[in-house]
Amino acid sequence: MTTASQEPSSMGIDAIRVAIASGHTTSRMRAITALQPYDVDTCVPLLLECLNDQAFLVRSLACMGLGYKANEQGKVALLKVLKLEGDPNVRAEAANALARHGMEQALPALLDLYQRDTHWLVRSSILAALADEKDVTPEVLDQFAEMALVDADPTLQEAGKQLKLKLQRESLERLLG
């Protein structure tokens, strides 16, 4: 449990709740950031409330928070965002956040999203999230790299090349290791 002295701002939990309930975009963004030192059970309900905000920045920050404050309720909400959210920025952040819940749970949803969502930002975010996670197998990375290499978008092609290089480097390190 976190004490008030560990808070990064002067906002206590009651002030955070008021700011989130206010509906004011800037206040909600500050409140989401101020949730950082609080436990999962305190944060997740407040973050879930922010997923319905009209401002995509608030929804994106809420997704990010659900990645760091991971629990089953947050995971279910992130999966819903991946399917229903209209803004690619928010879908991309939800994909990143879902990856923090562990690859065993996230991988099927990320693969599905990559195959059906053609927005470069969403796909790029998935590739970056997979590259950053430690428990992604080389086979999975290679599968995503291959999909990126044949994408029409040059940014994704480059990301595919970088994933391939990462795989080659890791393979060489294992051989020399």
Side-chain angles (χ1 to χ4, degrees):
M1 192 95 185
T2 303
T3 64
S5 64
Q6 294 172 311
E7 292 178 20
S9 73
S10 60
M11 288 183 85
I13 193 64
D14 291 332
I16 291 170
R17 285 187 176 107
V18 168
I20 286 175
S22 76
H24 186 264
T25 300
T26 304
S27 296
R28 285 185 134 188
M29 290 170 53
R30 285 187 185 129
I32 291 169
T33 303
L35 282 171
Q36 188 259 338
Y38 292 96
D39 64 84
V40 172
D41 293 334
T42 301
C43 295
V44 169
L46 296 168
L47 292 168
L48 293 175
E49 187 177 331
C50 293
L51 289 177
N52 297 318
D53 199 277
Q54 289 187 5
F56 84 90
L57 286 172
V58 172
R59 296 192 311 276
S60 291
L61 278 175
C63 287
M64 183 186 301
L66 291 170
Y68 288 108
K69 304 294 183 177
N71 72 4
E72 185 65 21
Q73 192 179 14
K75 182 188 84 169
V76 169
L78 290 168
L79 289 168
K80 185 177 176 183
V81 168
L82 294 180
K83 291 185 179 182
L84 302 177
E85 173 62 48
D87 191 292
N89 296 288
V90 180
R91 291 192 311 273
E93 195 57 60
N96 277 323
L98 186 61
R100 290 187 204 103
H101 284 251
M103 277 301 112
E104 185 177 322
Q105 296 183 23
L107 193 56
L110 294 177
L111 179 58
D112 175 64
L113 182 64
Y114 192 94
Q115 291 173 334
R116 68 179 166 76
D117 194 324
T118 59
H119 197 280
W120 72 270
L121 180 60
V122 174
R123 287 183 168 183
S124 180
S125 293
I126 292 169
L127 296 172
L130 292 172
D132 286 344
E133 292 299 317
K134 302 290 185 238
D135 58 341
V136 180
T137 66
E139 295 78 20
V140 167
L141 282 180
D142 190 57
Q143 177 185 4
F144 278 88
E146 289 295 330
M147 289 188 293
L149 286 170
V150 298
D151 197 285
D153 188 287
T155 303
L156 294 169
Q157 292 170 9
E158 183 60 31
K161 290 176 190 175
Q162 293 304 315
L163 275 179
K164 286 287 195 177
L165 287 173
K166 173 185 168 72
L167 288 167
Q168 290 172 352
R169 198 171 38 252
E170 289 173 353
S171 177
L172 184 58
E173 288 171 2
R174 281 191 301 276
L175 285 173
L176 297 175

